[in-house]
Amino acid sequence: MASSLDTLEGTDYIGESIIDARLGNLVSSLPKEDQELVHICDTHFARSLRNNAEGKGNQDLGVDKPAKGASRPLGRNIDPIQKRYLVVLIHEHLHYSVMMVCQPGNICAEGQELRPVIIHMDSIYRKHNGLHDGQEYAAYVRAYLSKEWRRLAEDDSMDSVPRRWRQEQLAKAATYPVFDDVSMPFHSLGSSAPQQPNNTDCAAFVMMNIEFFLAGFPEGVTVEDGKVIAVKPKPGAAYPATFMKDGIHARKNAVALRKHLQCWFLEMVVEQMPGNDPERSMATAMLKRYRGKGPRYLPPREYLALAQSKVGEADAANLEGQEAHGTQMDVGVAAGAGSAGKGSRTLAMRKNGSGKVGVAAGAGSAGKGSPTLAMKKNGSGKYPSIGIDMFRATNRKEAVELLRTSGLAVFRDKNVRTAALKLAEGGFKELNGLTAMTSRTVEIFRDVRTDVDGNLILDKALSTRTKEVFDVEYGSRQRKQIVFTTNDANVAKSFRDEVKKRIVDVSAELKLPSEHLVTTLLWNERDVSQPPLERQAAHTDNAEGQGGAVCIAAIQDFTLLVYTHSERIILDYFRIKAKVVKGETTEEDLANWLASKTFRPIRLQLRAGDLLFMQGHTVHAGDWATSEGRSYRMHFYIAPRKDMENQTFLFKIVDRRLAAMIE
């Protein structure tokens, strides 16, 4: 789909459908005998192992059942023990990494030098830790393999390594083998693994690492003196040691992979086009341009040859024309118009009626009559901007799964959008009457003020000897909020009724009472002389001990900063902090735990009619308003009890260290 291809643009997050297609192609291109020895475990596998290890869903959402399918995430008819390699994709904190689970069936092989081992490659590695906790996921994998060994050993319907082992060992009354950190050690490549130069290329690095590994397809992998050794890799191909050695990193090669994948998909499109299609020549010209100039992705064999010729250089993939960080590609497949001259044509990707990807002509600008490729520049802002596709839910069960795994889910409902557009067509008169009641209007914080030494400033007008209230900075006073009351029942009734239908559906799945809704209207306000209102202080809508969820209904387009997966960190913080208070752990332990965690925000682009559901402890912050004047949205707080009101949780007031993690 065109929307999937769009994710290959400069600094966008690469879509999961692209990853699945690429990895599926890599496996299918292997010799038949090798295909049987490797299994690619998608992100559902690691996620299911984690949910199954926890034993239940998130109590904060009222979900108390084990994750569906978590007990056997690979399916009953798949034998993970007979695989030489299990490739485990991990997707957490909006980041991908990969674990290679090597030769698990050798756990009981006598005299076998190649013992089971787990290798973790994380392209973001800081302060002795990867962004993903590889040790944690390795423990999940070991527990899963131990259970699978027992299951397969007792299953006489399948010929498996555990079943043959049981038949041989039965007379010896041997106990089942246990996969643990001794029998299957964990090894992280750490900073020796190729490190990404930005926040969004993790998927490219994962795909490249897997491609290089499968190209060599060694008979096994072992770790000696902290170094990974590939045993008998295929001759003439790149193998793990190529990029596992210090100083030989394929960083720039991974960055160039984006353009390679764009053209790989475009080649498949060209193959489907009739020979007389006038747009075929345009696509062919683009492919010729790609092959002729500029940085080019080097597949394993070519890269190995380059690496061998440049042994000792700091970066073996020093491709001609590639900038040091390489985050902006010079060519891409993008929808839209160019801008260099009148009358030229550009290539743009579209989805045709058959559901296949086609090539469409667009208005271009490189010069009269010349075929060009649409150019697209992404903003260089601090936070990566993404659409809602990776968080989009089409039903309430999908919404709850997304809430559990990512902390947020988005519905794009046409009835809600119609109601939002109707409010806009009426000049927001239904809302203007409400916001005019300034006595009920509350200004929303921008941040908590500190002095030159970084100390919090007390609000003298509100603070007393028994109660400390800190001074909140309202900034330009452009952000406002008002709480609805029963007297406002008819305000924007059609819009709220449509929103509530979705809330009722999701609340039922969350086991939360949808009648306990607190509704507020929020807006940003500016005139033409003011810049668009930027980021609010990051916060959660629920404090410690509170549960429930939040629904933000977009009346107009706007962006929101969201720290995906942050609700887990916040809940863990409350839990560890409580242990400190009880004396069960120390402040030093808490400080070390905080230092090991990372918040990574994204700028989520919402349009009128979108419904964003978030866990109450998901960290977020108001962001850009997209229009002059007032820019409206509504919040609905879904509380588990009628007497529970949301209490905004500002980190700086509670724990400065926690606040520092998100600044």
Side-chain angles (χ1 to χ4, degrees):
M1 293 178 61
S3 60
S4 298
L5 288 175
D6 283 344
T7 67
L8 290 170
E9 284 300 315
T11 55
D12 287 346
Y13 286 92
I14 298 177
E16 196 159 333
S17 59
I18 295 288
I19 301 171
D20 291 342
R22 176 65 172 176
L23 297 183
N25 176 265
L26 292 178
V27 173
S28 63
S29 63
L30 293 173
K32 183 67 175 178
E33 62 272 17
D34 289 344
Q35 291 182 36
E36 300 298 323
L37 295 176
V38 63
H39 185 83
I40 306 289
C41 308
D42 62 18
T43 56
H44 169 74
F45 175 77
R47 189 179 304 128
S48 296
L49 292 185
R50 184 188 64 200
N51 290 341
N52 196 41
E54 293 174 352
K56 56 185 177 180
N58 194 323
Q59 289 181 326
D60 182 49
L61 290 177
V63 180
D64 55 5
K65 295 181 180 179
K68 184 178 180 181
S71 58
R72 285 195 294 271
L74 287 186
R76 185 177 183 84
N77 295 322
I78 295 179
D79 179 1
I81 306 298
Q82 66 92 13
K83 303 296 181 183
R84 185 182 295 175
Y85 298 111
L86 290 175
V87 182
V88 180
L89 294 178
I90 302 173
H91 185 215
E92 188 179 15
H93 308 311
L94 208 66
H95 175 65
Y96 286 96
S97 67
V98 61
M99 287 199 313
M100 307 297 299
V101 181
C102 308
Q103 55 264 352
N106 290 353
I107 192 170
C108 286
E110 295 182 3
Q112 175 61 260
E113 295 181 2
L114 295 175
R115 309 301 295 171
V117 63
I118 297 177
I119 309 296
H120 185 218
M121 290 174 272
D122 193 329
S123 57
I124 295 182
Y125 194 84
R126 304 286 186 272
K127 296 180 181 178
H128 310 294
N129 287 290
L131 187 57
H132 289 158
D133 189 340
Q135 290 275 16
E136 178 182 2
Y137 279 96
Y140 298 156
V141 169
R142 295 189 194 104
Y144 167 76
L145 291 174
S146 294
K147 293 179 181 178
E148 283 296 279
W149 185 285
R150 177 181 291 272
R151 179 181 73 84
L152 291 166
E154 298 173 355
D155 187 351
D156 292 328
S157 66
M158 292 179 62
D159 181 27
S160 65
V161 172
R163 177 176 175 271
R164 294 194 296 272
W165 172 89
R166 179 175 64 88
Q167 293 173 337
E168 295 171 359
Q169 301 293 328
L170 194 61
K172 302 178 183 179
T175 58
Y176 286 110
V178 175
F179 291 83
D180 55 26
D181 56 0
V182 175
S183 61
M184 177 178 264
F186 169 84
H187 180 74
S188 170
L189 291 185
S191 58
S192 294
Q195 297 294 289
Q196 63 190 78
N198 51 46
N199 289 329
T200 54
D201 273 339
C202 53
F205 279 75
V206 162
M207 289 186 283
M208 184 196 69
N209 288 343
I210 294 173
E211 180 179 8
F212 275 49
F213 190 97
L214 295 182
F217 213 90
E219 289 188 6
V221 170
T222 185
V223 178
E224 298 178 7
D225 298 325
K227 299 292 184 181
V228 175
I229 306 297
V231 179
K232 296 182 180 179
K234 294 185 182 301
Y239 54 93
T242 302
F243 55 87
M244 291 180 182
K245 290 181 179 178
D246 293 340
I248 302 183
H249 287 175
R251 182 173 68 182
K252 296 174 184 177
N253 204 32
V255 173
L257 179 59
R258 286 178 177 267
K259 190 169 67 173
H260 175 77
L261 292 178
Q262 287 173 326
C263 291
W264 177 55
F265 281 105
L266 188 59
E267 285 174 344
M268 291 189 285
V269 172
V270 172
E271 291 176 0
Q272 299 178 34
M273 300 172 69
N276 59 353
D277 192 323
E279 293 178 349
R280 184 184 178 96
S281 61
M282 296 172 59
T284 303
M286 192 280 286
L287 291 171
K288 182 178 179 180
R289 175 183 175 182
Y290 165 70
R291 298 188 182 106
K293 292 183 179 181
R296 183 170 65 88
Y297 175 73
L298 297 182
R301 286 180 183 272
E302 293 182 49
Y303 179 79
L304 177 62
L306 178 63
Q308 290 175 336
S309 69
K310 293 178 176 291
V311 172
E313 293 192 11
D315 193 334
N318 187 14
L319 310 180
E320 183 179 356
Q322 180 77 46
E323 294 183 359
H325 293 290
T327 57
Q328 296 289 342
M329 295 295 100
D330 60 342
V331 176
V333 181
S339 56
K342 185 178 181 181
S344 68
R345 304 178 71 197
T346 65
L347 286 181
M349 305 305 292
R350 66 151 186 245
K351 186 176 72 171
N352 57 34
S354 63
K356 297 180 179 179
V357 174
V359 182
S365 50
K368 187 175 181 180
S370 63
T372 65
L373 190 67
M375 311 293 279
K376 177 181 176 182
K377 284 190 176 180
N378 289 313
S380 58
K382 181 179 178 181
Y383 311 104
S385 297
I386 65 171
I388 68 164
D389 285 349
M390 70 169 59
F391 304 112
R392 187 169 179 176
T394 58
N395 57 60
R396 66 188 191 184
K397 290 187 177 180
E398 286 184 5
V400 170
E401 178 62 21
L402 281 167
L403 283 166
R404 181 184 294 116
T405 57
S406 300
L408 58 95
V410 181
F411 276 112
R412 180 161 284 171
D413 184 81
K414 64 179 182 180
N415 292 332
V416 177
R417 179 165 175 79
T418 298
L421 294 177
K422 187 176 180 181
L423 285 175
E425 290 171 1
F428 303 108
K429 291 181 180 179
E430 294 184 51
L431 301 174
N432 288 338
L434 182 65
T435 59
M437 302 181 66
T438 55
S439 62
R440 289 166 47 195
T441 302
V442 178
E443 292 174 349
I444 307 175
F445 59 88
R446 180 181 178 87
D447 203 349
V448 180
R449 299 181 64 190
T450 56
D451 59 24
V452 292
D453 296 322
N455 299 315
L456 300 177
I457 299 175
L458 289 174
D459 188 330
K460 295 181 180 179
L462 298 176
S463 298
T464 67
R465 293 181 179 178
T466 58
K467 179 182 179 182
E468 289 187 340
V469 179
F470 295 100
D471 192 6
V472 176
E473 173 60 57
Y474 292 108
S476 59
R477 302 181 183 273
Q478 291 173 261
R479 199 184 303 274
K480 306 289 183 66
Q481 174 176 310
I482 190 168
V483 179
F484 278 66
T485 69
T486 54
N487 297 328
D488 308 314
N490 292 322
V491 174
K493 186 176 185 303
S494 297
F495 177 78
R496 287 195 288 159
D497 285 347
E498 292 297 339
V499 173
K500 191 172 181 179
K501 289 177 184 178
R502 284 294 192 185
I503 292 178
V504 169
D505 286 343
V506 175
S507 296
E509 195 70 22
L510 297 178
K511 296 179 175 60
L512 291 173
S514 58
E515 64 271 16
H516 297 168
L517 291 180
V518 178
T519 308
T520 66
L521 175 70
L522 294 90
W523 69 93
N524 298 330
E525 187 167 9
R526 72 183 181 99
D527 57 35
V528 293
S529 65
Q530 292 176 304
L533 181 59
E534 201 178 358
R535 136 184 212 315
Q536 184 185 25
H539 63 283
T540 64
D541 286 334
N542 283 358
E544 185 174 5
Q546 293 186 308
V550 178
C551 175
I552 302 179
I555 300 175
Q556 294 172 274
D557 297 355
F558 71 98
T559 64
L560 188 74
L561 294 183
V562 182
Y563 297 71
T564 55
H565 311 282
S566 55
E567 75 290 341
R568 290 180 175 272
I569 296 177
I570 297 302
L571 291 172
D572 282 345
Y573 169 81
F574 290 145
R575 178 176 54 80
I576 298 172
K577 186 69 175 178
K579 287 187 175 182
V580 172
V581 174
K582 295 178 182 178
E584 297 175 2
T585 189
T586 66
E587 278 287 351
E588 183 180 2
D589 290 335
L590 176 59
N592 291 335
W593 178 83
L594 285 168
S596 71
K597 299 301 177 182
T598 304
F599 281 101
R600 302 186 66 225
I602 60 171
R603 176 168 276 135
L604 197 63
Q605 301 168 342
L606 297 166
R607 72 175 192 179
D610 284 351
L611 301 181
L612 170 64
F613 286 88
M614 293 191 299
Q615 294 192 20
H617 292 107
T618 296
V619 182
H620 61 283
D623 195 49
W624 294 103
T626 55
S627 62
E628 294 176 0
R630 288 180 176 175
S631 181
Y632 290 109
R633 58 189 180 273
M634 283 189 189
H635 282 211
F636 297 83
Y637 302 99
I638 311 169
R641 301 196 311 270
K642 189 174 182 179
D643 60 341
M644 181 177 286
E645 296 182 1
N646 71 293
Q647 297 176 9
T648 299
F649 182 73
L650 280 169
F651 307 110
K652 189 178 290 186
I653 294 176
V654 179
D655 193 320
R656 301 281 293 281
R657 297 165 301 181
L658 189 61
M661 293 165 57
I662 62 172
E663 290 179 351

